Amino acid sequence: MKLYTRTGDDGTTGLFGGQRVLKDHPRVAAYGDIDELNAALGMANSALAQVDPAVRGRFAVILTQLQSRLFDIGADLATPGGSKHESKVMRINDAHVTEAERWIDEVDSGNAPMKTFVLPGGTELASRLHQARTICRRAERAMVHLQQSEPITPAALIYINRVADLLFAMARRANAEAGVPDVPWIPGRT
């Protein structure tokens, strides 16, 4: 199978189920942001070699599972309800949300309590996780925008909200494990 089909040369793309839409359609924008988040998680995963093996192993499991769920969400977003292939797509559900919440609790249990907002950064891994978090929030906004005109799976939106929180906790934990303290936000004073 060739990588290029030429079917999108007119600025359209096919959804799973056959419908063609413009490439700037809110549905395409939403799953495009999910795809970008997935790539950012791959970048974070590649930085795991720099951290303690115990943390590396657990973070690798979580990041890899997140990447798989993001493919599920991408397929979900590319498959509007009622399309002919709807039954072939796994939809995110409450069990996935609960799993993400367990990961947040597990990861954050190794972090010091927050007393201020913290600046994104620190180690390379933490910086990549913070960047993934901001992409995640953009994907969340795109999904909210889409749901103003078309239905989406409610649990998918909740899941993405939890993933952003998880990535924040993981960034802080990556810094903590490396002995890099959080840098507090100091509001400007006039």
Side-chain angles (χ1 to χ4, degrees), residues 22-141:
L22 291 173
K23 290 182 179 182
D24 68 349
H25 187 280
R27 186 168 291 281
V28 178
Y31 71 68
D33 286 346
I34 293 294
D35 187 39
E36 184 180 351
L37 171 58
N38 207 331
L41 292 184
M43 291 289 293
N45 217 342
S46 70
L48 287 175
Q50 303 167 4
V51 300
D52 179 79
V55 173
R56 179 184 326 144
R58 190 62 187 132
F59 274 27
V61 167
I62 292 171
L63 290 173
T64 301
Q65 288 188 26
L66 284 175
Q67 286 187 282
S68 290
R69 293 303 67 75
L70 291 176
F71 263 102
D72 293 333
I73 292 172
D76 180 336
L77 290 169
T79 312
S83 71
K84 66 181 179 180
H85 296 302
E86 181 178 18
S87 64
K88 297 177 183 176
V89 175
M90 195 284 301
R91 307 286 184 183
I92 295 294
N93 60 47
D94 292 340
H96 296 108
V97 173
T98 300
E99 178 179 54
E101 290 171 347
R102 280 195 306 267
W103 289 336
I104 294 167
D105 294 340
E106 173 191 341
V107 169
D108 203 41
S109 70
N111 289 332
M114 282 191 51
K115 296 179 180 159
T116 68
F117 287 105
V118 299
L119 300 181
T123 65
E124 181 181 352
L125 174 59
S127 297
R128 288 180 185 201
L129 289 164
H130 276 299
Q131 185 173 29
R133 173 187 54 79
T134 65
I135 295 168
C136 188
R137 289 297 185 199
R138 180 168 17 96
E140 181 181 22
R141 291 189 300 273

Side-chain angles (χ1 to χ4, degrees), residues 160-182:
I160 288 299
N161 187 21
R162 296 301 182 280
V163 169
D165 294 337
L166 173 59
L167 294 172
F168 180 75
M170 290 176 80
R172 290 190 67 228
R173 181 71 177 269
N175 278 340
E177 293 293 329
V180 176
D182 287 330

